[in-house]
Structures are given as C-alpha cells and as structure tokens.
PDB file of all heavy atoms in Angstrom:
ATOM      1  N   CYS H  12     160.101 363.345  80.674  1.00 97.00           N
ATOM      2  CA  CYS H  12     159.406 364.470  80.030  1.00 97.00           C
ATOM      3  C   CYS H  12     158.082 364.014  79.409  1.00 97.00           C
ATOM      4  O   CYS H  12     157.071 364.729  79.492  1.00 97.00           O
ATOM      5  CB  CYS H  12     160.305 365.088  78.959  1.00 97.00           C
ATOM      6  SG  CYS H  12     161.732 365.986  79.611  1.00 97.00           S
ATOM      7  N   ALA H  13     158.099 362.839  78.778  1.00 96.00           N
ATOM      8  CA  ALA H  13     156.868 362.322  78.179  1.00 96.00           C
ATOM      9  C   ALA H  13     155.810 362.040  79.241  1.00 96.00           C
ATOM     10  O   ALA H  13     154.621 362.321  79.049  1.00 96.00           O
ATOM     11  CB  ALA H  13     157.176 361.056  77.379  1.00 96.00           C
ATOM     12  N   ILE H  14     156.235 361.499  80.375  1.00 97.00           N
ATOM     13  CA  ILE H  14     155.286 361.222  81.467  1.00 97.00           C
ATOM     14  C   ILE H  14     154.697 362.520  82.002  1.00 97.00           C
ATOM     15  O   ILE H  14     153.478 362.628  82.208  1.00 97.00           O
ATOM     16  CB  ILE H  14     155.998 360.444  82.599  1.00 97.00           C
ATOM     17  CG1 ILE H  14     156.349 359.033  82.125  1.00 97.00           C
ATOM     18  CG2 ILE H  14     155.118 360.377  83.848  1.00 97.00           C
ATOM     19  CD1 ILE H  14     157.213 358.262  83.095  1.00 97.00           C
ATOM     20  N   GLN H  15     155.546 363.535  82.205  1.00 96.00           N
ATOM     21  CA  GLN H  15     155.055 364.818  82.711  1.00 96.00           C
ATOM     22  C   GLN H  15     154.116 365.484  81.706  1.00 96.00           C
ATOM     23  O   GLN H  15     153.091 366.065  82.081  1.00 96.00           O
ATOM     24  CB  GLN H  15     156.232 365.743  83.031  1.00 96.00           C
ATOM     25  CG  GLN H  15     155.846 367.147  83.457  1.00 96.00           C
ATOM     26  CD  GLN H  15     155.046 367.187  84.739  1.00 96.00           C
ATOM     27  OE1 GLN H  15     155.066 366.243  85.525  1.00 96.00           O
ATOM     28  NE2 GLN H  15     154.305 368.268  84.955  1.00 96.00           N
ATOM     29  N   ASP H  16     154.453 365.394  80.428  1.00 95.00           N
ATOM     30  CA  ASP H  16     153.623 366.006  79.398  1.00 95.00           C
ATOM     31  C   ASP H  16     152.260 365.327  79.298  1.00 95.00           C
ATOM     32  O   ASP H  16     151.251 365.990  79.032  1.00 95.00           O
ATOM     33  CB  ASP H  16     154.347 365.946  78.055  1.00 95.00           C
ATOM     34  CG  ASP H  16     153.651 366.758  76.976  1.00 95.00           C
ATOM     35  OD1 ASP H  16     153.262 367.904  77.261  1.00 95.00           O
ATOM     36  OD2 ASP H  16     153.477 366.247  75.850  1.00 95.00           O
ATOM     37  N   SER H  17     152.222 364.026  79.520  1.00 95.00           N
ATOM     38  CA  SER H  17     150.965 363.283  79.378  1.00 95.00           C
ATOM     39  C   SER H  17     150.121 363.298  80.653  1.00 95.00           C
ATOM     40  O   SER H  17     148.895 363.441  80.588  1.00 95.00           O
ATOM     41  CB  SER H  17     151.262 361.831  78.979  1.00 95.00           C
ATOM     42  OG  SER H  17     151.964 361.766  77.759  1.00 95.00           O
ATOM     43  N   PHE H  18     150.765 363.176  81.803  1.00 94.00           N
ATOM     44  CA  PHE H  18     150.018 362.997  83.055  1.00 94.00           C
ATOM     45  C   PHE H  18     150.149 364.174  84.030  1.00 94.00           C
ATOM     46  O   PHE H  18     149.459 364.199  85.040  1.00 94.00           O
ATOM     47  CB  PHE H  18     150.480 361.707  83.746  1.00 94.00           C
ATOM     48  CG  PHE H  18     150.325 360.476  82.897  1.00 94.00           C
ATOM     49  CD1 PHE H  18     151.428 359.894  82.293  1.00 94.00           C
ATOM     50  CD2 PHE H  18     149.074 359.920  82.677  1.00 94.00           C
ATOM     51  CE1 PHE H  18     151.294 358.761  81.501  1.00 94.00           C
ATOM     52  CE2 PHE H  18     148.933 358.783  81.890  1.00 94.00           C
ATOM     53  CZ  PHE H  18     150.039 358.201  81.301  1.00 94.00           C
ATOM     54  N   ARG H  19     151.035 365.128  83.729  1.00 93.00           N
ATOM     55  CA  ARG H  19     151.203 366.321  84.566  1.00 93.00           C
ATOM     56  C   ARG H  19     151.382 365.951  86.034  1.00 93.00           C
ATOM     57  O   ARG H  19     150.644 366.407  86.910  1.00 93.00           O
ATOM     58  CB  ARG H  19     150.014 367.264  84.383  1.00 93.00           C
ATOM     59  CG  ARG H  19     149.859 367.727  82.940  1.00 93.00           C
ATOM     60  CD  ARG H  19     148.703 368.665  82.724  1.00 93.00           C
ATOM     61  NE  ARG H  19     148.661 369.111  81.346  1.00 93.00           N
ATOM     62  CZ  ARG H  19     147.719 369.919  80.840  1.00 93.00           C
ATOM     63  NH1 ARG H  19     146.757 370.369  81.641  1.00 93.00           N
ATOM     64  NH2 ARG H  19     147.750 370.280  79.574  1.00 93.00           N
ATOM     65  N   VAL H  20     152.375 365.117  86.263  1.00 94.00           N
ATOM     66  CA  VAL H  20     152.650 364.617  87.613  1.00 94.00           C
ATOM     67  C   VAL H  20     153.085 365.746  88.542  1.00 94.00           C
ATOM     68  O   VAL H  20     152.663 365.831  89.693  1.00 94.00           O
ATOM     69  CB  VAL H  20     153.730 363.519  87.555  1.00 94.00           C
ATOM     70  CG1 VAL H  20     154.056 363.026  88.961  1.00 94.00           C
ATOM     71  CG2 VAL H  20     153.277 362.363  86.665  1.00 94.00           C
ATOM     72  N   ILE H  21     153.949 366.641  88.037  1.00 93.00           N
ATOM     73  CA  ILE H  21     154.453 367.749  88.851  1.00 93.00           C
ATOM     74  C   ILE H  21     153.472 368.906  88.766  1.00 93.00           C
ATOM     75  O   ILE H  21     153.237 369.460  87.683  1.00 93.00           O
ATOM     76  CB  ILE H  21     155.844 368.203  88.373  1.00 93.00           C
ATOM     77  CG1 ILE H  21     156.836 367.036  88.402  1.00 93.00           C
ATOM     78  CG2 ILE H  21     156.360 369.350  89.234  1.00 93.00           C
ATOM     79  CD1 ILE H  21     158.186 367.376  87.816  1.00 93.00           C
ATOM     80  N   THR H  22     152.875 369.257  89.879  1.00 93.00           N
ATOM     81  CA  THR H  22     151.921 370.364  89.924  1.00 93.00           C
ATOM     82  C   THR H  22     152.567 371.585  90.582  1.00 93.00           C
ATOM     83  O   THR H  22     153.535 371.471  91.322  1.00 93.00           O
ATOM     84  CB  THR H  22     150.658 369.960  90.701  1.00 93.00           C
ATOM     85  OG1 THR H  22     151.028 369.565  92.032  1.00 93.00           O
ATOM     86  CG2 THR H  22     149.954 368.792  90.017  1.00 93.00           C
ATOM     87  N   LEU H  23     152.005 372.756  90.295  1.00 91.00           N
ATOM     88  CA  LEU H  23     152.519 374.008  90.833  1.00 91.00           C
ATOM     89  C   LEU H  23     151.396 374.809  91.465  1.00 91.00           C
ATOM     90  O   LEU H  23     150.213 374.595  91.154  1.00 91.00           O
ATOM     91  CB  LEU H  23     153.169 374.840  89.708  1.00 91.00           C
ATOM     92  CG  LEU H  23     154.330 374.215  88.943  1.00 91.00           C
ATOM     93  CD1 LEU H  23     154.725 375.107  87.777  1.00 91.00           C
ATOM     94  CD2 LEU H  23     155.529 373.984  89.852  1.00 91.00           C
ATOM     95  N   ASN H  24     151.786 375.731  92.311  1.00 89.00           N
ATOM     96  CA  ASN H  24     150.831 376.683  92.879  1.00 89.00           C
ATOM     97  C   ASN H  24     150.605 377.781  91.839  1.00 89.00           C
ATOM     98  O   ASN H  24     151.488 378.584  91.571  1.00 89.00           O
ATOM     99  CB  ASN H  24     151.382 377.276  94.177  1.00 89.00           C
ATOM    100  CG  ASN H  24     150.379 378.181  94.867  1.00 89.00           C
ATOM    101  OD1 ASN H  24     149.436 378.680  94.247  1.00 89.00           O
ATOM    102  ND2 ASN H  24     150.563 378.395  96.154  1.00 89.00           N
ATOM    103  N   GLU H  25     149.423 377.790  91.251  1.00 86.00           N
ATOM    104  CA  GLU H  25     149.149 378.705  90.142  1.00 86.00           C
ATOM    105  C   GLU H  25     149.266 380.165  90.563  1.00 86.00           C
ATOM    106  O   GLU H  25     149.647 381.022  89.765  1.00 86.00           O
ATOM    107  CB  GLU H  25     147.753 378.428  89.578  1.00 86.00           C
ATOM    108  CG  GLU H  25     147.512 379.052  88.221  1.00 86.00           C
ATOM    109  CD  GLU H  25     146.234 378.560  87.581  1.00 86.00           C
ATOM    110  OE1 GLU H  25     145.226 378.389  88.305  1.00 86.00           O
ATOM    111  OE2 GLU H  25     146.220 378.342  86.356  1.00 86.00           O
ATOM    112  N   ALA H  26     148.953 380.472  91.805  1.00 80.00           N
ATOM    113  CA  ALA H  26     149.035 381.860  92.280  1.00 80.00           C
ATOM    114  C   ALA H  26     150.476 382.363  92.279  1.00 80.00           C
ATOM    115  O   ALA H  26     150.728 383.552  92.086  1.00 80.00           O
ATOM    116  CB  ALA H  26     148.437 381.971  93.673  1.00 80.00           C
ATOM    117  N   ASP H  27     151.427 381.465  92.486  1.00 84.00           N
ATOM    118  CA  ASP H  27     152.830 381.855  92.554  1.00 84.00           C
ATOM    119  C   ASP H  27     153.553 381.720  91.217  1.00 84.00           C
ATOM    120  O   ASP H  27     154.433 382.529  90.894  1.00 84.00           O
ATOM    121  CB  ASP H  27     153.572 381.013  93.598  1.00 84.00           C
ATOM    122  CG  ASP H  27     153.068 381.277  95.009  1.00 84.00           C
ATOM    123  OD1 ASP H  27     152.639 382.412  95.281  1.00 84.00           O
ATOM    124  OD2 ASP H  27     153.099 380.337  95.827  1.00 84.00           O
ATOM    125  N   TYR H  28     153.202 380.692  90.437  1.00 86.00           N
ATOM    126  CA  TYR H  28     153.946 380.390  89.213  1.00 86.00           C
ATOM    127  C   TYR H  28     153.148 380.629  87.936  1.00 86.00           C
ATOM    128  O   TYR H  28     153.654 380.368  86.846  1.00 86.00           O
ATOM    129  CB  TYR H  28     154.421 378.936  89.244  1.00 86.00           C
ATOM    130  CG  TYR H  28     155.406 378.651  90.350  1.00 86.00           C
ATOM    131  CD1 TYR H  28     154.999 378.083  91.556  1.00 86.00           C
ATOM    132  CD2 TYR H  28     156.750 378.957  90.201  1.00 86.00           C
ATOM    133  CE1 TYR H  28     155.898 377.820  92.582  1.00 86.00           C
ATOM    134  CE2 TYR H  28     157.665 378.697  91.219  1.00 86.00           C
ATOM    135  CZ  TYR H  28     157.226 378.131  92.409  1.00 86.00           C
ATOM    136  OH  TYR H  28     158.119 377.875  93.411  1.00 86.00           O
ATOM    137  N   TYR H  29     151.898 381.092  88.033  1.00 87.00           N
ATOM    138  CA  TYR H  29     151.046 381.377  86.875  1.00 87.00           C
ATOM    139  C   TYR H  29     150.627 380.115  86.117  1.00 87.00           C
ATOM    140  O   TYR H  29     149.969 380.207  85.077  1.00 87.00           O
ATOM    141  CB  TYR H  29     151.734 382.328  85.889  1.00 87.00           C
ATOM    142  CG  TYR H  29     152.207 383.614  86.498  1.00 87.00           C
ATOM    143  CD1 TYR H  29     153.481 384.093  86.232  1.00 87.00           C
ATOM    144  CD2 TYR H  29     151.391 384.371  87.335  1.00 87.00           C
ATOM    145  CE1 TYR H  29     153.930 385.284  86.792  1.00 87.00           C
ATOM    146  CE2 TYR H  29     151.824 385.562  87.892  1.00 87.00           C
ATOM    147  CZ  TYR H  29     153.094 386.010  87.623  1.00 87.00           C
ATOM    148  OH  TYR H  29     153.533 387.180  88.163  1.00 87.00           O
ATOM    149  N   LEU H  30     151.029 378.951  86.611  1.00 90.00           N
ATOM    150  CA  LEU H  30     150.699 377.686  85.959  1.00 90.00           C
ATOM    151  C   LEU H  30     150.292 376.679  87.019  1.00 90.00           C
ATOM    152  O   LEU H  30     150.821 376.697  88.135  1.00 90.00           O
ATOM    153  CB  LEU H  30     151.893 377.140  85.169  1.00 90.00           C
ATOM    154  CG  LEU H  30     152.381 377.963  83.975  1.00 90.00           C
ATOM    155  CD1 LEU H  30     153.731 377.447  83.500  1.00 90.00           C
ATOM    156  CD2 LEU H  30     151.377 377.923  82.839  1.00 90.00           C
ATOM    157  N   SER H  31     149.376 375.788  86.671  1.00 89.00           N
ATOM    158  CA  SER H  31     148.929 374.775  87.625  1.00 89.00           C
ATOM    159  C   SER H  31     149.754 373.503  87.551  1.00 89.00           C
ATOM    160  O   SER H  31     149.611 372.619  88.383  1.00 89.00           O
ATOM    161  CB  SER H  31     147.450 374.438  87.354  1.00 89.00           C
ATOM    162  OG  SER H  31     147.278 373.956  86.029  1.00 89.00           O
ATOM    163  N   TYR H  32     150.621 373.400  86.546  1.00 92.00           N
ATOM    164  CA  TYR H  32     151.492 372.233  86.393  1.00 92.00           C
ATOM    165  C   TYR H  32     152.780 372.673  85.718  1.00 92.00           C
ATOM    166  O   TYR H  32     152.870 373.781  85.173  1.00 92.00           O
ATOM    167  CB  TYR H  32     150.811 371.145  85.559  1.00 92.00           C
ATOM    168  CG  TYR H  32     150.632 371.524  84.107  1.00 92.00           C
ATOM    169  CD1 TYR H  32     151.544 371.111  83.140  1.00 92.00           C
ATOM    170  CD2 TYR H  32     149.556 372.310  83.701  1.00 92.00           C
ATOM    171  CE1 TYR H  32     151.396 371.472  81.811  1.00 92.00           C
ATOM    172  CE2 TYR H  32     149.403 372.682  82.383  1.00 92.00           C
ATOM    173  CZ  TYR H  32     150.326 372.259  81.444  1.00 92.00           C
ATOM    174  OH  TYR H  32     150.186 372.631  80.128  1.00 92.00           O
ATOM    175  N   ALA H  33     153.791 371.835  85.782  1.00 94.00           N
ATOM    176  CA  ALA H  33     155.083 372.147  85.161  1.00 94.00           C
ATOM    177  C   ALA H  33     155.064 371.685  83.705  1.00 94.00           C
ATOM    178  O   ALA H  33     155.059 370.472  83.443  1.00 94.00           O
ATOM    179  CB  ALA H  33     156.211 371.458  85.927  1.00 94.00           C
ATOM    180  N   PRO H  34     155.045 372.606  82.751  1.00 96.00           N
ATOM    181  CA  PRO H  34     155.021 372.207  81.337  1.00 96.00           C
ATOM    182  C   PRO H  34     156.415 371.828  80.845  1.00 96.00           C
ATOM    183  O   PRO H  34     157.421 372.281  81.408  1.00 96.00           O
ATOM    184  CB  PRO H  34     154.521 373.470  80.636  1.00 96.00           C
ATOM    185  CG  PRO H  34     155.024 374.575  81.502  1.00 96.00           C
ATOM    186  CD  PRO H  34     155.017 374.057  82.922  1.00 96.00           C
ATOM    187  N   VAL H  35     156.470 371.016  79.826  1.00 96.00           N
ATOM    188  CA  VAL H  35     157.755 370.648  79.229  1.00 96.00           C
ATOM    189  C   VAL H  35     157.731 370.975  77.747  1.00 96.00           C
ATOM    190  O   VAL H  35     156.692 370.896  77.091  1.00 96.00           O
ATOM    191  CB  VAL H  35     158.071 369.143  79.425  1.00 96.00           C
ATOM    192  CG1 VAL H  35     158.293 368.832  80.882  1.00 96.00           C
ATOM    193  CG2 VAL H  35     156.974 368.262  78.861  1.00 96.00           C
ATOM    194  N   ASP H  36     158.864 371.384  77.238  1.00 95.00           N
ATOM    195  CA  ASP H  36     159.008 371.680  75.814  1.00 95.00           C
ATOM    196  C   ASP H  36     160.356 371.140  75.371  1.00 95.00           C
ATOM    197  O   ASP H  36     161.401 371.673  75.754  1.00 95.00           O
ATOM    198  CB  ASP H  36     158.900 373.180  75.561  1.00 95.00           C
ATOM    199  CG  ASP H  36     159.021 373.520  74.081  1.00 95.00           C
ATOM    200  OD1 ASP H  36     158.516 372.744  73.257  1.00 95.00           O
ATOM    201  OD2 ASP H  36     159.643 374.551  73.753  1.00 95.00           O
ATOM    202  N   ILE H  37     160.333 370.080  74.612  1.00 92.00           N
ATOM    203  CA  ILE H  37     161.566 369.400  74.193  1.00 92.00           C
ATOM    204  C   ILE H  37     161.981 369.917  72.818  1.00 92.00           C
ATOM    205  O   ILE H  37     161.219 369.827  71.852  1.00 92.00           O
ATOM    206  CB  ILE H  37     161.367 367.879  74.139  1.00 92.00           C
ATOM    207  CG1 ILE H  37     160.953 367.351  75.517  1.00 92.00           C
ATOM    208  CG2 ILE H  37     162.633 367.193  73.670  1.00 92.00           C
ATOM    209  CD1 ILE H  37     160.568 365.892  75.517  1.00 92.00           C
ATOM    210  N   GLY H  38     163.179 370.465  72.757  1.00 89.00           N
ATOM    211  CA  GLY H  38     163.724 370.922  71.486  1.00 89.00           C
ATOM    212  C   GLY H  38     164.788 369.949  70.989  1.00 89.00           C
ATOM    213  O   GLY H  38     165.702 369.587  71.737  1.00 89.00           O
ATOM    214  N   VAL H  39     164.667 369.526  69.748  1.00 93.00           N
ATOM    215  CA  VAL H  39     165.605 368.544  69.193  1.00 93.00           C
ATOM    216  C   VAL H  39     167.035 369.073  69.246  1.00 93.00           C
ATOM    217  O   VAL H  39     167.970 368.361  69.649  1.00 93.00           O
ATOM    218  CB  VAL H  39     165.221 368.199  67.740  1.00 93.00           C
ATOM    219  CG1 VAL H  39     166.271 367.256  67.121  1.00 93.00           C
ATOM    220  CG2 VAL H  39     163.843 367.546  67.696  1.00 93.00           C
ATOM    221  N   TRP H  40     167.204 370.349  68.863  1.00 94.00           N
ATOM    222  CA  TRP H  40     168.553 370.906  68.838  1.00 94.00           C
ATOM    223  C   TRP H  40     169.128 371.030  70.245  1.00 94.00           C
ATOM    224  O   TRP H  40     170.350 370.908  70.436  1.00 94.00           O
ATOM    225  CB  TRP H  40     168.547 372.260  68.124  1.00 94.00           C
ATOM    226  CG  TRP H  40     168.301 372.141  66.658  1.00 94.00           C
ATOM    227  CD1 TRP H  40     167.172 372.520  65.975  1.00 94.00           C
ATOM    228  CD2 TRP H  40     169.181 371.571  65.682  1.00 94.00           C
ATOM    229  NE1 TRP H  40     167.301 372.233  64.637  1.00 94.00           N
ATOM    230  CE2 TRP H  40     168.515 371.655  64.424  1.00 94.00           C
ATOM    231  CE3 TRP H  40     170.454 371.010  65.745  1.00 94.00           C
ATOM    232  CZ2 TRP H  40     169.102 371.195  63.258  1.00 94.00           C
ATOM    233  CZ3 TRP H  40     171.042 370.553  64.564  1.00 94.00           C
ATOM    234  CH2 TRP H  40     170.380 370.648  63.341  1.00 94.00           C
ATOM    235  N   HIS H  41     168.269 371.283  71.226  1.00 93.00           N
ATOM    236  CA  HIS H  41     168.761 371.358  72.602  1.00 93.00           C
ATOM    237  C   HIS H  41     169.228 369.992  73.096  1.00 93.00           C
ATOM    238  O   HIS H  41     170.240 369.891  73.802  1.00 93.00           O
ATOM    239  CB  HIS H  41     167.660 371.904  73.519  1.00 93.00           C
ATOM    240  CG  HIS H  41     167.364 373.350  73.304  1.00 93.00           C
ATOM    241  ND1 HIS H  41     166.529 373.785  72.308  1.00 93.00           N
ATOM    242  CD2 HIS H  41     167.810 374.470  73.952  1.00 93.00           C
ATOM    243  CE1 HIS H  41     166.458 375.107  72.343  1.00 93.00           C
ATOM    244  NE2 HIS H  41     167.223 375.543  73.324  1.00 93.00           N
ATOM    245  N   ILE H  42     168.500 368.943  72.715  1.00 96.00           N
ATOM    246  CA  ILE H  42     168.896 367.589  73.105  1.00 96.00           C
ATOM    247  C   ILE H  42     170.234 367.221  72.454  1.00 96.00           C
ATOM    248  O   ILE H  42     171.138 366.675  73.108  1.00 96.00           O
ATOM    249  CB  ILE H  42     167.819 366.567  72.702  1.00 96.00           C
ATOM    250  CG1 ILE H  42     166.475 366.911  73.356  1.00 96.00           C
ATOM    251  CG2 ILE H  42     168.247 365.155  73.080  1.00 96.00           C
ATOM    252  CD1 ILE H  42     166.510 366.924  74.863  1.00 96.00           C
ATOM    253  N   LEU H  43     170.375 367.551  71.179  1.00 96.00           N
ATOM    254  CA  LEU H  43     171.639 367.268  70.487  1.00 96.00           C
ATOM    255  C   LEU H  43     172.784 368.062  71.106  1.00 96.00           C
ATOM    256  O   LEU H  43     173.904 367.543  71.254  1.00 96.00           O
ATOM    257  CB  LEU H  43     171.503 367.610  68.998  1.00 96.00           C
ATOM    258  CG  LEU H  43     170.550 366.729  68.179  1.00 96.00           C
ATOM    259  CD1 LEU H  43     170.444 367.242  66.751  1.00 96.00           C
ATOM    260  CD2 LEU H  43     171.014 365.272  68.185  1.00 96.00           C
ATOM    261  N   ALA H  44     172.519 369.330  71.470  1.00 96.00           N
ATOM    262  CA  ALA H  44     173.560 370.155  72.074  1.00 96.00           C
ATOM    263  C   ALA H  44     173.986 369.600  73.433  1.00 96.00           C
ATOM    264  O   ALA H  44     175.184 369.576  73.755  1.00 96.00           O
ATOM    265  CB  ALA H  44     173.061 371.595  72.225  1.00 96.00           C
ATOM    266  N   LEU H  45     173.030 369.123  74.228  1.00 96.00           N
ATOM    267  CA  LEU H  45     173.376 368.556  75.533  1.00 96.00           C
ATOM    268  C   LEU H  45     174.205 367.287  75.379  1.00 96.00           C
ATOM    269  O   LEU H  45     175.186 367.077  76.103  1.00 96.00           O
ATOM    270  CB  LEU H  45     172.098 368.257  76.321  1.00 96.00           C
ATOM    271  CG  LEU H  45     171.325 369.470  76.859  1.00 96.00           C
ATOM    272  CD1 LEU H  45     170.012 369.026  77.490  1.00 96.00           C
ATOM    273  CD2 LEU H  45     172.160 370.235  77.874  1.00 96.00           C
ATOM    274  N   ASN H  46     173.829 366.436  74.439  1.00 97.00           N
ATOM    275  CA  ASN H  46     174.570 365.199  74.225  1.00 97.00           C
ATOM    276  C   ASN H  46     175.980 365.465  73.715  1.00 97.00           C
ATOM    277  O   ASN H  46     176.966 364.944  74.257  1.00 97.00           O
ATOM    278  CB  ASN H  46     173.816 364.304  73.235  1.00 97.00           C
ATOM    279  CG  ASN H  46     172.704 363.518  73.883  1.00 97.00           C
ATOM    280  OD1 ASN H  46     172.882 362.394  74.326  1.00 97.00           O
ATOM    281  ND2 ASN H  46     171.515 364.114  73.955  1.00 97.00           N
ATOM    282  N   SER H  47     176.075 366.278  72.669  1.00 96.00           N
ATOM    283  CA  SER H  47     177.391 366.551  72.096  1.00 96.00           C
ATOM    284  C   SER H  47     178.259 367.342  73.073  1.00 96.00           C
ATOM    285  O   SER H  47     179.463 367.084  73.198  1.00 96.00           O
ATOM    286  CB  SER H  47     177.242 367.316  70.775  1.00 96.00           C
ATOM    287  OG  SER H  47     176.533 368.533  70.970  1.00 96.00           O
ATOM    288  N   GLY H  48     177.654 368.309  73.781  1.00 96.00           N
ATOM    289  CA  GLY H  48     178.406 369.090  74.755  1.00 96.00           C
ATOM    290  C   GLY H  48     178.944 368.229  75.884  1.00 96.00           C
ATOM    291  O   GLY H  48     180.087 368.405  76.324  1.00 96.00           O
ATOM    292  N   THR H  49     178.126 367.281  76.358  1.00 96.00           N
ATOM    293  CA  THR H  49     178.557 366.405  77.451  1.00 96.00           C
ATOM    294  C   THR H  49     179.753 365.552  77.053  1.00 96.00           C
ATOM    295  O   THR H  49     180.745 365.469  77.786  1.00 96.00           O
ATOM    296  CB  THR H  49     177.398 365.491  77.892  1.00 96.00           C
ATOM    297  OG1 THR H  49     176.312 366.299  78.359  1.00 96.00           O
ATOM    298  CG2 THR H  49     177.841 364.560  79.008  1.00 96.00           C
ATOM    299  N   ILE H  50     179.679 364.937  75.898  1.00 95.00           N
ATOM    300  CA  ILE H  50     180.780 364.045  75.502  1.00 95.00           C
ATOM    301  C   ILE H  50     182.044 364.831  75.161  1.00 95.00           C
ATOM    302  O   ILE H  50     183.158 364.421  75.515  1.00 95.00           O
ATOM    303  CB  ILE H  50     180.352 363.140  74.319  1.00 95.00           C
ATOM    304  CG1 ILE H  50     181.395 362.035  74.118  1.00 95.00           C
ATOM    305  CG2 ILE H  50     180.146 363.932  73.041  1.00 95.00           C
ATOM    306  CD1 ILE H  50     180.923 360.930  73.193  1.00 95.00           C
ATOM    307  N   ILE H  51     181.913 365.998  74.533  1.00 95.00           N
ATOM    308  CA  ILE H  51     183.101 366.786  74.168  1.00 95.00           C
ATOM    309  C   ILE H  51     183.784 367.339  75.418  1.00 95.00           C
ATOM    310  O   ILE H  51     185.006 367.219  75.589  1.00 95.00           O
ATOM    311  CB  ILE H  51     182.714 367.922  73.200  1.00 95.00           C
ATOM    312  CG1 ILE H  51     182.297 367.344  71.842  1.00 95.00           C
ATOM    313  CG2 ILE H  51     183.879 368.900  73.035  1.00 95.00           C
ATOM    314  CD1 ILE H  51     181.710 368.373  70.893  1.00 95.00           C
ATOM    315  N   ILE H  52     182.983 367.966  76.297  1.00 96.00           N
ATOM    316  CA  ILE H  52     183.562 368.576  77.508  1.00 96.00           C
ATOM    317  C   ILE H  52     184.182 367.509  78.409  1.00 96.00           C
ATOM    318  O   ILE H  52     185.280 367.684  78.950  1.00 96.00           O
ATOM    319  CB  ILE H  52     182.483 369.373  78.268  1.00 96.00           C
ATOM    320  CG1 ILE H  52     182.070 370.592  77.439  1.00 96.00           C
ATOM    321  CG2 ILE H  52     182.992 369.803  79.638  1.00 96.00           C
ATOM    322  CD1 ILE H  52     180.891 371.360  78.015  1.00 96.00           C
ATOM    323  N   THR H  53     183.490 366.386  78.554  1.00 95.00           N
ATOM    324  CA  THR H  53     184.014 365.326  79.416  1.00 95.00           C
ATOM    325  C   THR H  53     185.326 364.773  78.885  1.00 95.00           C
ATOM    326  O   THR H  53     186.301 364.595  79.638  1.00 95.00           O
ATOM    327  CB  THR H  53     182.983 364.187  79.549  1.00 95.00           C
ATOM    328  OG1 THR H  53     181.743 364.717  80.011  1.00 95.00           O
ATOM    329  CG2 THR H  53     183.456 363.140  80.544  1.00 95.00           C
ATOM    330  N   LEU H  54     185.391 364.510  77.592  1.00 94.00           N
ATOM    331  CA  LEU H  54     186.623 363.978  77.010  1.00 94.00           C
ATOM    332  C   LEU H  54     187.761 364.988  77.090  1.00 94.00           C
ATOM    333  O   LEU H  54     188.928 364.606  77.286  1.00 94.00           O
ATOM    334  CB  LEU H  54     186.379 363.561  75.559  1.00 94.00           C
ATOM    335  CG  LEU H  54     185.549 362.275  75.364  1.00 94.00           C
ATOM    336  CD1 LEU H  54     185.290 362.033  73.888  1.00 94.00           C
ATOM    337  CD2 LEU H  54     186.261 361.078  75.991  1.00 94.00           C
ATOM    338  N   LEU H  55     187.444 366.268  76.946  1.00 95.00           N
ATOM    339  CA  LEU H  55     188.486 367.285  77.066  1.00 95.00           C
ATOM    340  C   LEU H  55     189.083 367.290  78.470  1.00 95.00           C
ATOM    341  O   LEU H  55     190.310 367.392  78.644  1.00 95.00           O
ATOM    342  CB  LEU H  55     187.924 368.666  76.725  1.00 95.00           C
ATOM    343  CG  LEU H  55     187.678 368.957  75.236  1.00 95.00           C
ATOM    344  CD1 LEU H  55     187.011 370.306  75.054  1.00 95.00           C
ATOM    345  CD2 LEU H  55     188.989 368.911  74.451  1.00 95.00           C
TER     346      LEU H  55
END
C-alpha cells in the first residue's frame, strides 16, 4: 500500500474508472479488524 501510495504503480483507464491510478486509503480500525477477525475465525 505504501509503494502504491508513493509511486502509483497500478494505473487505471480514467475514462472507465474516473481515476488515472488506484488510490489506497488505510484505516487503522480496518487493519485491526482484519487481523483480529482472521485469528478468531481461523481458531474457531
């Protein structure tokens, strides 16, 4: 995500997607939810 945010490696067709590159938005709570959800569901 940091590489994409800094260098915009993944590009898009702006006519189709309204954007010329794939933006990233990292949410702390989403990262925590993915980590906790993965370990809880897997152990269950």
